[in-house]
Amino acid sequence: MAAVCADELAVEPPVAARRLLGATLWSGAVGVRIVEVEAYGGDPAGPWPDPASHSGRGRTKRNTVMFGPAGVLYVYLSYGMHTCINVTSGPDGIASAALIRSGEVIAGADEARARRAAARSDADLARGPGNLGSALGITLSDYGTPLFDANSAIRLELGKAVPAKQIASGPRVGVSTAADLAWRFWLPSSPAVSTYRRSPRAPRAEAS
């Protein structure tokens, strides 16, 4: 079963990202329904060159998991403080991943609230990638966790695919290159979707 689920993400970045919508990411007793994602490709030598991706300039110690099989946790710190959660995608050896931007806490709400005391509402608990990482209690030590392994403390349950008509798309948040590529996907029906913010360093007339 794990291999079958991972295979569903071993596809091009936007397809894998859309497949993650509606899935549930578990960290211990806390479960989050994914409602917003961003797809990221890889280096120029691969099929999905993406200068905005952490793997856009090739393999490094930080991004090496992006070059591995699909369905593995890629964790990094944003601005040295916010833990951001990514799920690797694409075939083994070709870099790509999806950033999990926002989710709805559907289990373990009390634990998530204890970690996110500043949240003004339940919809705010896991809105935005940093808040989502905090609500789930995920740290850099979780880097490389196989998400479809039943023995993992952090697990991903894909469930049924969300129909295309229920998914919206647009440019990614905060990137200064490839800023108009419409690789951000979200469920408009969810109150937990984050606000779009364009990077002030991104050119205004960039081609998509």
PDB file of all heavy atoms in Angstrom, residues 87-122:
ATOM      1  N   VAL A  87       6.701  17.770   0.922  1.00  0.00           N
ATOM      2  CA  VAL A  87       6.598  16.355   0.568  1.00  0.00           C
ATOM      3  C   VAL A  87       7.297  16.170  -0.770  1.00  0.00           C
ATOM      4  O   VAL A  87       6.956  16.853  -1.754  1.00  0.00           O
ATOM      5  CB  VAL A  87       5.129  15.900   0.473  1.00  0.00           C
ATOM      6  CG1 VAL A  87       5.055  14.436   0.051  1.00  0.00           C
ATOM      7  CG2 VAL A  87       4.420  16.103   1.807  1.00  0.00           C
ATOM      8  N   THR A  88       8.276  15.287  -0.829  1.00  0.00           N
ATOM      9  CA  THR A  88       8.980  15.075  -2.088  1.00  0.00           C
ATOM     10  C   THR A  88       8.062  14.423  -3.115  1.00  0.00           C
ATOM     11  O   THR A  88       7.129  13.697  -2.777  1.00  0.00           O
ATOM     12  CB  THR A  88      10.229  14.194  -1.899  1.00  0.00           C
ATOM     13  OG1 THR A  88       9.834  12.912  -1.398  1.00  0.00           O
ATOM     14  CG2 THR A  88      11.198  14.846  -0.929  1.00  0.00           C
ATOM     15  N   SER A  89       8.357  14.708  -4.383  1.00  0.00           N
ATOM     16  CA  SER A  89       7.538  14.166  -5.474  1.00  0.00           C
ATOM     17  C   SER A  89       8.452  13.788  -6.628  1.00  0.00           C
ATOM     18  O   SER A  89       9.669  13.927  -6.543  1.00  0.00           O
ATOM     19  CB  SER A  89       6.490  15.195  -5.910  1.00  0.00           C
ATOM     20  OG  SER A  89       7.107  16.408  -6.325  1.00  0.00           O
ATOM     21  N   GLY A  90       7.846  13.318  -7.720  1.00  0.00           N
ATOM     22  CA  GLY A  90       8.616  12.944  -8.893  1.00  0.00           C
ATOM     23  C   GLY A  90       9.327  11.609  -8.740  1.00  0.00           C
ATOM     24  O   GLY A  90       9.394  11.043  -7.649  1.00  0.00           O
ATOM     25  N   PRO A  91       9.878  11.073  -9.823  1.00  0.00           N
ATOM     26  CA  PRO A  91      10.608   9.805  -9.786  1.00  0.00           C
ATOM     27  C   PRO A  91      11.895   9.923  -8.975  1.00  0.00           C
ATOM     28  O   PRO A  91      12.474  11.009  -8.865  1.00  0.00           O
ATOM     29  CB  PRO A  91      10.923   9.535 -11.264  1.00  0.00           C
ATOM     30  CG  PRO A  91      10.003  10.424 -12.035  1.00  0.00           C
ATOM     31  CD  PRO A  91       9.761  11.615 -11.182  1.00  0.00           C
ATOM     32  N   ASP A  92      12.346   8.834  -8.408  1.00  0.00           N
ATOM     33  CA  ASP A  92      13.597   8.788  -7.658  1.00  0.00           C
ATOM     34  C   ASP A  92      14.738   9.276  -8.558  1.00  0.00           C
ATOM     35  O   ASP A  92      14.890   8.826  -9.696  1.00  0.00           O
ATOM     36  CB  ASP A  92      13.863   7.352  -7.201  1.00  0.00           C
ATOM     37  CG  ASP A  92      14.967   7.257  -6.165  1.00  0.00           C
ATOM     38  OD1 ASP A  92      15.572   8.295  -5.832  1.00  0.00           O
ATOM     39  OD2 ASP A  92      15.222   6.138  -5.693  1.00  0.00           O
ATOM     40  N   GLY A  93      15.514  10.231  -8.052  1.00  0.00           N
ATOM     41  CA  GLY A  93      16.632  10.772  -8.806  1.00  0.00           C
ATOM     42  C   GLY A  93      16.345  12.091  -9.484  1.00  0.00           C
ATOM     43  O   GLY A  93      17.271  12.751  -9.972  1.00  0.00           O
ATOM     44  N   ILE A  94      15.077  12.495  -9.540  1.00  0.00           N
ATOM     45  CA  ILE A  94      14.698  13.764 -10.165  1.00  0.00           C
ATOM     46  C   ILE A  94      14.063  14.656  -9.106  1.00  0.00           C
ATOM     47  O   ILE A  94      13.064  14.296  -8.494  1.00  0.00           O
ATOM     48  CB  ILE A  94      13.718  13.546 -11.333  1.00  0.00           C
ATOM     49  CG1 ILE A  94      14.383  12.688 -12.408  1.00  0.00           C
ATOM     50  CG2 ILE A  94      13.268  14.880 -11.915  1.00  0.00           C
ATOM     51  CD1 ILE A  94      13.476  12.346 -13.565  1.00  0.00           C
ATOM     52  N   ALA A  95      14.640  15.823  -8.891  1.00  0.00           N
ATOM     53  CA  ALA A  95      14.227  16.676  -7.784  1.00  0.00           C
ATOM     54  C   ALA A  95      12.898  17.381  -8.034  1.00  0.00           C
ATOM     55  O   ALA A  95      12.682  17.971  -9.088  1.00  0.00           O
ATOM     56  CB  ALA A  95      15.299  17.715  -7.500  1.00  0.00           C
ATOM     57  N   SER A  96      12.030  17.315  -7.031  1.00  0.00           N
ATOM     58  CA  SER A  96      10.819  18.127  -6.966  1.00  0.00           C
ATOM     59  C   SER A  96      10.156  17.865  -5.624  1.00  0.00           C
ATOM     60  O   SER A  96      10.436  16.861  -4.961  1.00  0.00           O
ATOM     61  CB  SER A  96       9.843  17.817  -8.119  1.00  0.00           C
ATOM     62  OG  SER A  96       9.333  16.506  -8.022  1.00  0.00           O
ATOM     63  N   ALA A  97       9.300  18.787  -5.219  1.00  0.00           N
ATOM     64  CA  ALA A  97       8.607  18.651  -3.942  1.00  0.00           C
ATOM     65  C   ALA A  97       7.441  19.623  -3.909  1.00  0.00           C
ATOM     66  O   ALA A  97       7.335  20.529  -4.743  1.00  0.00           O
ATOM     67  CB  ALA A  97       9.550  18.916  -2.764  1.00  0.00           C
ATOM     68  N   ALA A  98       6.572  19.428  -2.930  1.00  0.00           N
ATOM     69  CA  ALA A  98       5.454  20.339  -2.720  1.00  0.00           C
ATOM     70  C   ALA A  98       5.530  20.893  -1.309  1.00  0.00           C
ATOM     71  O   ALA A  98       5.634  20.132  -0.338  1.00  0.00           O
ATOM     72  CB  ALA A  98       4.119  19.627  -2.929  1.00  0.00           C
ATOM     73  N   LEU A  99       5.516  22.208  -1.203  1.00  0.00           N
ATOM     74  CA  LEU A  99       5.452  22.876   0.093  1.00  0.00           C
ATOM     75  C   LEU A  99       4.010  22.839   0.585  1.00  0.00           C
ATOM     76  O   LEU A  99       3.089  23.219  -0.136  1.00  0.00           O
ATOM     77  CB  LEU A  99       5.913  24.322  -0.044  1.00  0.00           C
ATOM     78  CG  LEU A  99       5.681  25.238   1.167  1.00  0.00           C
ATOM     79  CD1 LEU A  99       6.531  24.789   2.356  1.00  0.00           C
ATOM     80  CD2 LEU A  99       5.984  26.681   0.799  1.00  0.00           C
ATOM     81  N   ILE A 100       3.814  22.381   1.822  1.00  0.00           N
ATOM     82  CA  ILE A 100       2.478  22.386   2.421  1.00  0.00           C
ATOM     83  C   ILE A 100       2.291  23.749   3.081  1.00  0.00           C
ATOM     84  O   ILE A 100       2.909  24.048   4.102  1.00  0.00           O
ATOM     85  CB  ILE A 100       2.313  21.247   3.447  1.00  0.00           C
ATOM     86  CG1 ILE A 100       2.805  19.920   2.857  1.00  0.00           C
ATOM     87  CG2 ILE A 100       0.852  21.144   3.876  1.00  0.00           C
ATOM     88  CD1 ILE A 100       2.128  19.504   1.586  1.00  0.00           C
ATOM     89  N   ARG A 101       1.452  24.572   2.497  1.00  0.00           N
ATOM     90  CA  ARG A 101       1.314  25.944   2.976  1.00  0.00           C
ATOM     91  C   ARG A 101       0.302  26.080   4.116  1.00  0.00           C
ATOM     92  O   ARG A 101       0.524  26.857   5.049  1.00  0.00           O
ATOM     93  CB  ARG A 101       0.892  26.874   1.834  1.00  0.00           C
ATOM     94  CG  ARG A 101       2.014  27.233   0.873  1.00  0.00           C
ATOM     95  CD  ARG A 101       1.671  28.519   0.110  1.00  0.00           C
ATOM     96  NE  ARG A 101       1.397  29.607   1.028  1.00  0.00           N
ATOM     97  CZ  ARG A 101       2.327  30.383   1.574  1.00  0.00           C
ATOM     98  NH1 ARG A 101       3.596  30.198   1.298  1.00  0.00           N
ATOM     99  NH2 ARG A 101       1.986  31.344   2.398  1.00  0.00           N
ATOM    100  N   SER A 102      -0.817  25.385   4.036  1.00  0.00           N
ATOM    101  CA  SER A 102      -1.872  25.561   5.045  1.00  0.00           C
ATOM    102  C   SER A 102      -2.703  24.302   5.194  1.00  0.00           C
ATOM    103  O   SER A 102      -2.798  23.493   4.262  1.00  0.00           O
ATOM    104  CB  SER A 102      -2.812  26.723   4.669  1.00  0.00           C
ATOM    105  OG  SER A 102      -2.140  27.955   4.658  1.00  0.00           O
ATOM    106  N   GLY A 103      -3.316  24.176   6.366  1.00  0.00           N
ATOM    107  CA  GLY A 103      -4.187  23.035   6.611  1.00  0.00           C
ATOM    108  C   GLY A 103      -5.208  23.333   7.687  1.00  0.00           C
ATOM    109  O   GLY A 103      -5.122  24.349   8.403  1.00  0.00           O
ATOM    110  N   GLU A 104      -6.178  22.467   7.792  1.00  0.00           N
ATOM    111  CA  GLU A 104      -7.208  22.535   8.830  1.00  0.00           C
ATOM    112  C   GLU A 104      -6.916  21.445   9.865  1.00  0.00           C
ATOM    113  O   GLU A 104      -6.773  20.273   9.493  1.00  0.00           O
ATOM    114  CB  GLU A 104      -8.588  22.305   8.236  1.00  0.00           C
ATOM    115  CG  GLU A 104      -9.003  23.332   7.205  1.00  0.00           C
ATOM    116  CD  GLU A 104     -10.273  22.938   6.466  1.00  0.00           C
ATOM    117  OE1 GLU A 104     -10.720  21.772   6.623  1.00  0.00           O
ATOM    118  OE2 GLU A 104     -10.814  23.783   5.732  1.00  0.00           O
ATOM    119  N   VAL A 105      -6.823  21.801  11.122  1.00  0.00           N
ATOM    120  CA  VAL A 105      -6.599  20.817  12.173  1.00  0.00           C
ATOM    121  C   VAL A 105      -7.887  20.038  12.387  1.00  0.00           C
ATOM    122  O   VAL A 105      -8.916  20.603  12.766  1.00  0.00           O
ATOM    123  CB  VAL A 105      -6.152  21.485  13.482  1.00  0.00           C
ATOM    124  CG1 VAL A 105      -6.015  20.450  14.599  1.00  0.00           C
ATOM    125  CG2 VAL A 105      -4.826  22.217  13.276  1.00  0.00           C
ATOM    126  N   ILE A 106      -7.851  18.734  12.122  1.00  0.00           N
ATOM    127  CA  ILE A 106      -9.053  17.903  12.234  1.00  0.00           C
ATOM    128  C   ILE A 106      -8.960  16.898  13.377  1.00  0.00           C
ATOM    129  O   ILE A 106      -9.927  16.195  13.673  1.00  0.00           O
ATOM    130  CB  ILE A 106      -9.339  17.158  10.912  1.00  0.00           C
ATOM    131  CG1 ILE A 106      -8.165  16.243  10.545  1.00  0.00           C
ATOM    132  CG2 ILE A 106      -9.639  18.148   9.783  1.00  0.00           C
ATOM    133  CD1 ILE A 106      -8.452  15.330   9.353  1.00  0.00           C
ATOM    134  N   ALA A 107      -7.792  16.835  14.026  1.00  0.00           N
ATOM    135  CA  ALA A 107      -7.609  15.947  15.179  1.00  0.00           C
ATOM    136  C   ALA A 107      -6.496  16.514  16.042  1.00  0.00           C
ATOM    137  O   ALA A 107      -5.573  17.163  15.542  1.00  0.00           O
ATOM    138  CB  ALA A 107      -7.260  14.525  14.735  1.00  0.00           C
ATOM    139  N   GLY A 108      -6.594  16.308  17.364  1.00  0.00           N
ATOM    140  CA  GLY A 108      -5.559  16.796  18.269  1.00  0.00           C
ATOM    141  C   GLY A 108      -5.549  18.300  18.402  1.00  0.00           C
ATOM    142  O   GLY A 108      -4.486  18.904  18.599  1.00  0.00           O
ATOM    143  N   ALA A 109      -6.730  18.934  18.329  1.00  0.00           N
ATOM    144  CA  ALA A 109      -6.806  20.398  18.347  1.00  0.00           C
ATOM    145  C   ALA A 109      -6.227  20.991  19.632  1.00  0.00           C
ATOM    146  O   ALA A 109      -5.573  22.042  19.592  1.00  0.00           O
ATOM    147  CB  ALA A 109      -8.253  20.850  18.154  1.00  0.00           C
ATOM    148  N   ASP A 110      -6.449  20.355  20.767  1.00  0.00           N
ATOM    149  CA  ASP A 110      -5.934  20.888  22.029  1.00  0.00           C
ATOM    150  C   ASP A 110      -4.407  20.943  22.020  1.00  0.00           C
ATOM    151  O   ASP A 110      -3.803  21.915  22.491  1.00  0.00           O
ATOM    152  CB  ASP A 110      -6.416  20.035  23.208  1.00  0.00           C
ATOM    153  CG  ASP A 110      -7.902  20.210  23.487  1.00  0.00           C
ATOM    154  OD1 ASP A 110      -8.483  21.190  22.979  1.00  0.00           O
ATOM    155  OD2 ASP A 110      -8.471  19.363  24.204  1.00  0.00           O
ATOM    156  N   GLU A 111      -3.793  19.896  21.490  1.00  0.00           N
ATOM    157  CA  GLU A 111      -2.330  19.865  21.399  1.00  0.00           C
ATOM    158  C   GLU A 111      -1.832  20.935  20.438  1.00  0.00           C
ATOM    159  O   GLU A 111      -0.832  21.620  20.709  1.00  0.00           O
ATOM    160  CB  GLU A 111      -1.882  18.477  20.942  1.00  0.00           C
ATOM    161  CG  GLU A 111      -0.385  18.247  21.035  1.00  0.00           C
ATOM    162  CD  GLU A 111      -0.010  16.799  20.771  1.00  0.00           C
ATOM    163  OE1 GLU A 111      -0.889  15.915  20.870  1.00  0.00           O
ATOM    164  OE2 GLU A 111       1.179  16.555  20.465  1.00  0.00           O
ATOM    165  N   ALA A 112      -2.537  21.093  19.306  1.00  0.00           N
ATOM    166  CA  ALA A 112      -2.144  22.121  18.339  1.00  0.00           C
ATOM    167  C   ALA A 112      -2.296  23.515  18.940  1.00  0.00           C
ATOM    168  O   ALA A 112      -1.444  24.392  18.728  1.00  0.00           O
ATOM    169  CB  ALA A 112      -2.985  21.992  17.080  1.00  0.00           C
ATOM    170  N   ARG A 113      -3.370  23.742  19.711  1.00  0.00           N
ATOM    171  CA  ARG A 113      -3.565  25.053  20.340  1.00  0.00           C
ATOM    172  C   ARG A 113      -2.473  25.348  21.368  1.00  0.00           C
ATOM    173  O   ARG A 113      -2.044  26.500  21.515  1.00  0.00           O
ATOM    174  CB  ARG A 113      -4.940  25.114  21.009  1.00  0.00           C
ATOM    175  CG  ARG A 113      -6.108  25.167  20.052  1.00  0.00           C
ATOM    176  CD  ARG A 113      -7.416  25.449  20.779  1.00  0.00           C
ATOM    177  NE  ARG A 113      -8.563  25.112  19.944  1.00  0.00           N
ATOM    178  CZ  ARG A 113      -9.269  23.993  20.066  1.00  0.00           C
ATOM    179  NH1 ARG A 113      -8.960  23.109  21.011  1.00  0.00           N
ATOM    180  NH2 ARG A 113     -10.289  23.761  19.262  1.00  0.00           N
ATOM    181  N   ALA A 114      -2.035  24.326  22.079  1.00  0.00           N
ATOM    182  CA  ALA A 114      -0.966  24.524  23.055  1.00  0.00           C
ATOM    183  C   ALA A 114       0.325  24.972  22.369  1.00  0.00           C
ATOM    184  O   ALA A 114       1.104  25.753  22.921  1.00  0.00           O
ATOM    185  CB  ALA A 114      -0.729  23.231  23.837  1.00  0.00           C
ATOM    186  N   ARG A 115       0.546  24.482  21.159  1.00  0.00           N
ATOM    187  CA  ARG A 115       1.745  24.872  20.403  1.00  0.00           C
ATOM    188  C   ARG A 115       1.564  26.208  19.702  1.00  0.00           C
ATOM    189  O   ARG A 115       2.539  26.888  19.389  1.00  0.00           O
ATOM    190  CB  ARG A 115       2.056  23.793  19.357  1.00  0.00           C
ATOM    191  CG  ARG A 115       2.471  22.461  19.941  1.00  0.00           C
ATOM    192  CD  ARG A 115       2.517  21.409  18.856  1.00  0.00           C
ATOM    193  NE  ARG A 115       3.015  20.127  19.354  1.00  0.00           N
ATOM    194  CZ  ARG A 115       2.728  18.963  18.798  1.00  0.00           C
ATOM    195  NH1 ARG A 115       1.952  18.919  17.700  1.00  0.00           N
ATOM    196  NH2 ARG A 115       3.204  17.843  19.316  1.00  0.00           N
ATOM    197  N   ARG A 116       0.315  26.569  19.437  1.00  0.00           N
ATOM    198  CA  ARG A 116       0.009  27.791  18.690  1.00  0.00           C
ATOM    199  C   ARG A 116      -0.904  28.697  19.529  1.00  0.00           C
ATOM    200  O   ARG A 116      -1.999  29.074  19.133  1.00  0.00           O
ATOM    201  CB  ARG A 116      -0.679  27.419  17.379  1.00  0.00           C
ATOM    202  CG  ARG A 116       0.234  26.807  16.350  1.00  0.00           C
ATOM    203  CD  ARG A 116       0.924  27.878  15.511  1.00  0.00           C
ATOM    204  NE  ARG A 116      -0.072  28.643  14.788  1.00  0.00           N
ATOM    205  CZ  ARG A 116      -0.240  29.960  14.893  1.00  0.00           C
ATOM    206  NH1 ARG A 116       0.522  30.667  15.714  1.00  0.00           N
ATOM    207  NH2 ARG A 116      -1.176  30.584  14.208  1.00  0.00           N
ATOM    208  N   ALA A 117      -0.404  29.082  20.701  1.00  0.00           N
ATOM    209  CA  ALA A 117      -1.202  29.883  21.635  1.00  0.00           C
ATOM    210  C   ALA A 117      -1.592  31.241  21.047  1.00  0.00           C
ATOM    211  O   ALA A 117      -2.590  31.838  21.455  1.00  0.00           O
ATOM    212  CB  ALA A 117      -0.431  30.076  22.938  1.00  0.00           C
ATOM    213  N   ALA A 118      -0.830  31.715  20.082  1.00  0.00           N
ATOM    214  CA  ALA A 118      -1.121  33.020  19.487  1.00  0.00           C
ATOM    215  C   ALA A 118      -2.235  32.965  18.443  1.00  0.00           C
ATOM    216  O   ALA A 118      -2.710  34.021  17.998  1.00  0.00           O
ATOM    217  CB  ALA A 118       0.138  33.593  18.843  1.00  0.00           C
ATOM    218  N   ALA A 119      -2.665  31.782  18.060  1.00  0.00           N
ATOM    219  CA  ALA A 119      -3.709  31.661  17.035  1.00  0.00           C
ATOM    220  C   ALA A 119      -5.019  32.262  17.537  1.00  0.00           C
ATOM    221  O   ALA A 119      -5.479  31.951  18.642  1.00  0.00           O
ATOM    222  CB  ALA A 119      -3.911  30.201  16.662  1.00  0.00           C
ATOM    223  N   ARG A 120      -5.630  33.104  16.718  1.00  0.00           N
ATOM    224  CA  ARG A 120      -6.871  33.767  17.127  1.00  0.00           C
ATOM    225  C   ARG A 120      -8.104  32.910  16.905  1.00  0.00           C
ATOM    226  O   ARG A 120      -9.150  33.162  17.490  1.00  0.00           O
ATOM    227  CB  ARG A 120      -7.012  35.090  16.355  1.00  0.00           C
ATOM    228  CG  ARG A 120      -5.959  36.125  16.711  1.00  0.00           C
ATOM    229  CD  ARG A 120      -6.027  37.320  15.808  1.00  0.00           C
ATOM    230  NE  ARG A 120      -5.680  36.960  14.424  1.00  0.00           N
ATOM    231  CZ  ARG A 120      -5.672  37.823  13.418  1.00  0.00           C
ATOM    232  NH1 ARG A 120      -6.021  39.090  13.613  1.00  0.00           N
ATOM    233  NH2 ARG A 120      -5.343  37.436  12.202  1.00  0.00           N
ATOM    234  N   SER A 121      -7.995  31.909  16.038  1.00  0.00           N
ATOM    235  CA  SER A 121      -9.132  31.029  15.751  1.00  0.00           C
ATOM    236  C   SER A 121      -8.594  29.677  15.328  1.00  0.00           C
ATOM    237  O   SER A 121      -7.395  29.516  15.054  1.00  0.00           O
ATOM    238  CB  SER A 121     -10.005  31.616  14.643  1.00  0.00           C
ATOM    239  OG  SER A 121      -9.307  31.607  13.405  1.00  0.00           O
ATOM    240  N   ASP A 122      -9.476  28.694  15.251  1.00  0.00           N
ATOM    241  CA  ASP A 122      -9.061  27.366  14.792  1.00  0.00           C
ATOM    242  C   ASP A 122      -8.526  27.415  13.363  1.00  0.00           C
ATOM    243  O   ASP A 122      -7.610  26.666  13.011  1.00  0.00           O
ATOM    244  CB  ASP A 122     -10.228  26.384  14.885  1.00  0.00           C
ATOM    245  CG  ASP A 122     -10.520  25.967  16.328  1.00  0.00           C
ATOM    246  OD1 ASP A 122      -9.736  26.334  17.231  1.00  0.00           O
ATOM    247  OD2 ASP A 122     -11.521  25.278  16.540  1.00  0.00           O
TER     248      ASP A 122
END
